[in-house]
Amino acid sequence: GVTHVVLATSFVAAQTFLQAAAGSPCGTGPAKFHYMASDYSLLDGDLFTRNVSKSQFDGSLAITNFYTGIAKGSAQQAACSKVLKAAGLAGLDNTYPNADANALCDNLAIFTKAALKAGPNLTRPAWAQAVQSLGEFDGAFSPRSVFAPGKTSGGELVHAMVWHADCTCYRQTGPVHPG
């Protein structure tokens, strides 16, 4: 009687499950399972769903707090692209080959902003205290993060998306909104 499966596991375990399910009566055809993925272990990222079965995963839903599936980039992404282009490299966009670079762009920017706020004698405790005073950060990988006293992680906005077999990618289906 199972019709819907939420893949809340590593992408390796998800691939194993999908391969096993493909051989079952609900693996393909009109009775196939309907899948949903999330940010957990990046199953909502094009990079990790690139090689799933197109017929099996087409139409799968996902919820994310990343820019995955959104065509328009951010100011942070543009700033990182500018640095890369100045070095003679290609700029960034929201496609799967750039996911790691976008995330690293955010990590470096957040680290740098907090390190500058912490002052010249940087220590782990000073950095941890400073990051809590950054306020809003609109990143290249995650649309908005809010750092505040007691809060050292981001990802305030979410959006829905659907995986498409024609591009083996996710596309945004709804607006970005507070999650």
Side-chain angles (χ1 to χ4, degrees):
V2 175
T3 58
H4 292 73
V5 176
V6 177
L7 298 169
T9 186
S10 73
F11 71 92
V12 173
Q15 288 281 13
T16 302
F17 176 85
L18 290 168
Q19 289 169 0
S24 75
C26 294
T28 57
K32 78 174 185 173
F33 292 134
H34 299 280
Y35 294 101
M36 182 169 181
S38 74
D39 288 340
Y40 183 81
S41 195
L42 300 176
L43 284 173
D44 61 351
D46 297 338
L47 178 64
F48 293 105
T49 57
R50 197 94 182 134
N51 296 314
V52 296
S53 165
K54 291 180 181 183
S55 63
Q56 193 178 13
F57 213 65
D58 193 35
S60 293
L61 299 174
I63 304 294
T64 185
N65 71 335
F66 302 136
Y67 270 111
T68 305
I70 298 176
K72 185 179 180 205
S74 68
Q76 178 66 23
Q77 187 181 68
C80 289
S81 286
K82 183 178 177 183
V83 171
L84 291 170
K85 288 176 181 178
L89 300 170
L92 300 173
D93 60 21
N94 288 331
T95 58
Y96 82 93
N98 291 301
D100 287 343
N102 283 322
L104 290 170
C105 172
D106 285 357
N107 292 341
L108 182 59
I110 291 166
F111 175 83
T112 303
K113 288 174 188 280
L116 290 171
K117 275 191 171 247
N121 298 314
L122 184 61
T123 62
R124 286 181 185 181
W127 186 90
Q129 187 65 38
V131 78
Q132 296 176 56
S133 68
L134 292 182
E136 272 196 32
F137 175 78
D138 293 316
F141 191 61
S142 188
R144 182 180 8 166
S145 299
V146 177
F147 298 93
K151 187 168 182 304
T152 58
S153 64
E156 316 306 320
L157 303 176
V158 296
H159 68 92
M161 52 190 184
V162 172
W163 194 86
H164 294 267
D166 63 341
C167 63
T168 61
C169 69
Y170 284 104
R171 292 188 188 128
Q172 182 180 10
T173 60
V176 175
H177 57 87

